[in-house]
Amino acid sequence: MIGIIGAGITGLALSAFLEERGVPHLVLEAGERPGGVIRSTVVDGHILDHGPQRTRVTPELSRLLKQIGLDDEIVEVSPDLPLFVCRQGRLRQVPFAAHGLLRTNLISTRGKLRALMEPLTRSWTDEETVGAFVSRKFGREVYENLMGPLFGGLYGSDPGKMYVRHSLATTMERMGISRSILWRFLRGSFNRAAAPAAISFREGMEALPRALYHFVSHRVHLSTPTSGLRRGPGGVGWRVFTEGGGTLDFDGVVLTIPSERAAELLQEEAPESAARLRLLRYNRLAVVHLKGESGRLHGLGYQVAYGSRIRTRGVTWNDSALGRPGVFTAYLGGARDPDLLKLDDGEIAQIARQEFREVTGLDTEPLNVSRMRVPSWDRSWTVMEQLSLPDGVHLCSNYESRVGIPGRITRASLMARELAGLPALRPKKVLAQRQTSGSAA
Ligand SMILES: Cc1cc2nc3c(=O)[nH]c(=O)nc-3n(C[C@H](O)[C@H](O)[C@H](O)COP(=O)(O)OP(=O)(O)OC[C@H]3O[C@@H](n4cnc5c(N)ncnc54)[C@H](O)[C@@H]3O)c2cc1C
């Protein structure tokens, strides 16, 4: 029997894949609801997503959606919608093809000429950050106006503090980029129509964990926070302690919970690993939902170029991207502006509202402010390179492998395979987790 700790998307997807393979297991979730950071609510009749706004549908996710009966609920984001970067107070369209790159007013002619030298530059080095790497290859302007805001926006992070080897390297590897990014761009690899579609669901992103939960509900115990992890009787398997005073014995345990919670569980049996996990940093974000006139803005939304006095990092236009009338979702804070989170919700909402009006001309009313966090994948991830877990304890989490939902699904599928005793297909983005021996199925 396998114990899965946490019923966010990772724990639930892992449960569904184990169910498919006939591996007995139980999922223990602290909260009253499944889904973790994927949460949708209805405020004044508007569907709001507090965590992810959308996901790409990889073939694996597509298969899962059919299996859990959610494929009819999909709302697809049109790949033709323009994406913008706000630079010097104005929205400028992001180029995704060669002709757009030549014409864009996001980068000066001088900046474009500098970017053309990229194929002549070396590949990344071990100690190079994404910020240093992109600036060296394309020049500072492309980094600050385009690649920095787009890449950093995915993590609410600061690419100047993220090592290429922990983050961008995997993306480039997945895209088959060994040396020149520009060359792949010119060959159409960044064409969004060719990428898996971006989607949400009619009732918001939480429909995904909800449907997964229905599929495996007989395996999931909600409102069951775990507080300890010890070797089982006679040193065989693992005993999980719950806050309610109960114990459950498992052959192996998979931790899908945030790093500081995983550290608490590992403290007794693997104090050195626990100490490492405590060093991982998260970026704190404020997510502000705004309500304005529908149909005035057409696009996916925008990110903000570096060097701007604007504190909003980016805005998703749910109105045109997902057909949610009048709804816009602004992100503030993150690694480049951590002090913003010291403000109260009302002050944050006013900044989001005022800056949105300055940039788009559209007046809005704040609907909601949520405070979220995302693993920063910054230099602190170096501690993960030497992480060693006891035999039979596994990490399957968004600080050990990719953060995005498609990455979570892929990792859960690989973990299920491993636990089912099938030959492991190691995902590329798993940082070294040396197990002392074997697997726990
Ligand atoms: C603001 C934000 C925006 C994002 N945007 C996108 C996006 O647009 N597209 C995309 O693909 N991805 C996005 N992501 C990333 C993605 O949503 C997350 O990486 C993913 O949902 C994490 O899922 P998880 O199951 O690994 O972890 P979590 O969702 O954190 O789930 C962990 C679960 O463990 C439970 N738990 C914690 N401690 C214990 C304990 N001691 N015992 C039992 N249970 C416990 C928690 O209650 C929780 O339910 C975003 C994330 C955030 C925060």
Side-chain angles (χ1 to χ4, degrees):
M1 174 76 85
I2 299 293
I4 301 171
I5 317 296
I9 189 69
T10 309
L12 292 168
L14 176 57
S15 173
F17 290 131
L18 286 179
E19 193 69 5
E20 212 176 34
R21 295 192 183 281
V23 177
H25 65 278
L26 276 185
V27 186
L28 308 178
E29 162 59 42
E32 290 171 359
R33 53 169 276 282
V37 301
I38 306 182
R39 191 164 71 89
S40 315
T41 56
V42 179
V43 175
D44 288 350
H46 300 286
I47 295 168
L48 309 183
D49 271 308
H50 304 262
Q53 306 293 316
R54 56 187 180 270
T55 177
R56 294 242 167 235
V57 207
T58 52
E60 209 151 31
L61 179 54
S62 172
R63 190 178 68 81
L64 197 59
L65 294 178
K66 281 199 186 75
Q67 200 174 4
I68 60 178
L70 206 57
D71 48 337
D72 286 346
E73 293 296 309
I74 288 175
V75 179
E76 200 168 320
V77 179
S78 163
D80 302 327
L81 282 179
L83 173 67
F84 300 92
V85 166
C86 171
R87 181 183 161 228
Q88 293 169 339
R90 278 187 48 208
L91 292 181
R92 300 153 200 263
Q93 195 170 333
V94 171
F96 286 101
H99 59 279
L101 191 62
L102 289 175
R103 276 198 243 123
T104 182
N105 58 0
L106 245 178
I107 302 155
S108 67
T109 307
R110 196 189 157 114
K112 288 176 194 167
L113 290 173
R114 168 63 183 85
L116 286 176
M117 290 164 67
E118 190 268 350
L120 306 175
T121 55
R122 276 183 295 112
S123 187
W124 56 277
T125 60
D126 251 10
E127 295 301 309
E128 206 162 26
T129 64
V130 174
F133 170 70
V134 174
S135 302
R136 174 171 65 73
K137 286 189 85 71
F138 290 95
R140 206 69 209 158
E141 213 186 317
V142 168
Y143 170 58
E144 291 186 347
N145 294 347
L146 186 62
M147 289 182 156
L150 293 188
F151 185 77
L154 298 176
Y155 301 79
S157 208
D158 180 354
K161 294 179 181 158
M162 301 169 76
Y163 281 134
V164 175
R165 70 177 197 266
H166 294 154
S167 50
L168 186 62
T170 338
T171 312
M172 292 195 296
E173 204 175 316
R174 241 187 5 258
M175 294 179 78
I177 299 171
S178 56
R179 188 153 173 177
S180 173
I181 301 171
L182 185 64
W183 177 239
R184 297 302 291 203
F185 180 87
L186 295 176
R187 292 183 62 193
S189 299
F190 289 69
N191 180 352
R192 286 186 300 161
I199 60 152
S200 179
F201 304 95
R202 263 198 269 279
E203 293 183 358
M205 286 300 295
E206 195 176 332
L208 173 57
R210 213 184 294 129
L212 270 171
Y213 172 67
H214 285 306
F215 189 66
V216 290
S217 58
H218 57 293
R219 298 283 188 187
V220 184
H221 293 244
L222 297 177
S223 305
T224 311
T226 52
S227 54
L229 186 62
R230 294 279 173 82
R231 288 200 186 271
V236 179
W238 289 92
R239 175 161 286 182
V240 171
F241 295 80
T242 65
E243 274 181 20
T247 57
L248 288 154
D249 289 336
F250 296 107
D251 300 310
V253 172
V254 185
L255 306 177
T256 74
I257 54 185
S259 56
E260 76 283 358
R261 295 276 93 84
E264 279 166 24
L265 294 192
L266 288 167
Q267 183 56 43
E268 288 296 325
E269 296 284 353
E272 207 259 341
S273 310
R276 285 180 181 276
L277 290 174
R278 283 201 186 88
L279 293 174
L280 298 181
R281 284 188 282 256
Y282 282 67
N283 292 324
R284 297 197 305 136
L285 291 168
V287 181
V288 183
H289 292 100
L290 301 167
K291 156 86 178 120
E293 192 185 330
S294 178
R296 285 269 305 276
L297 300 170
H298 176 74
L300 205 52
Y302 61 89
Q303 296 289 321
V304 176
Y306 293 164
S308 167
R309 63 171 178 77
I310 288 180
R311 299 186 83 176
T312 305
R313 305 286 11 126
V315 183
T316 298
W317 297 350
N318 308 71
D319 181 57
S320 49
L322 293 166
R324 304 220 175 115
V327 177
F328 303 89
T329 310
Y331 295 88
L332 296 90
R336 292 178 65 89
D337 190 7
D339 286 347
L340 181 119
L341 276 292
K342 291 181 186 155
L343 302 177
D344 67 36
D345 285 1
E347 291 169 312
I348 294 174
Q350 280 318 314
I351 294 174
R353 177 190 183 198
Q354 192 182 321
E355 291 183 347
F356 188 68
R357 187 172 47 216
E358 270 176 45
V359 173
T360 66
L362 194 64
D363 205 7
T364 55
E365 285 299 324
L367 286 171
N368 186 76
V369 178
S370 335
R371 290 165 190 259
M372 306 293 292
R373 22 169 255 166
V374 190
S376 66
W377 282 92
D378 66 3
R379 289 189 184 105
S380 63
W381 258 250
T382 306
V383 299
M384 292 294 278
E385 292 169 350
Q386 300 299 322
L387 187 77
S388 164
L389 293 174
D391 184 24
V393 177
H394 308 261
L395 265 188
C396 187
S397 63
N398 62 0
Y399 46 91
E400 156 267 2
S401 46
R402 284 158 47 212
V403 169
I405 292 169
R408 304 308 325 125
I409 303 288
T410 302
R411 178 66 179 126
S413 161
L414 289 164
M415 178 59 72
R417 219 186 131 81
E418 198 177 320
L419 293 169
L422 295 170
L425 298 172
R426 298 300 291 177
K428 294 191 171 126
K429 182 66 195 182
V430 176
L431 288 169
Q433 269 185 53
R434 281 180 285 134
Q435 311 241 334
T436 45
S437 64
S439 94

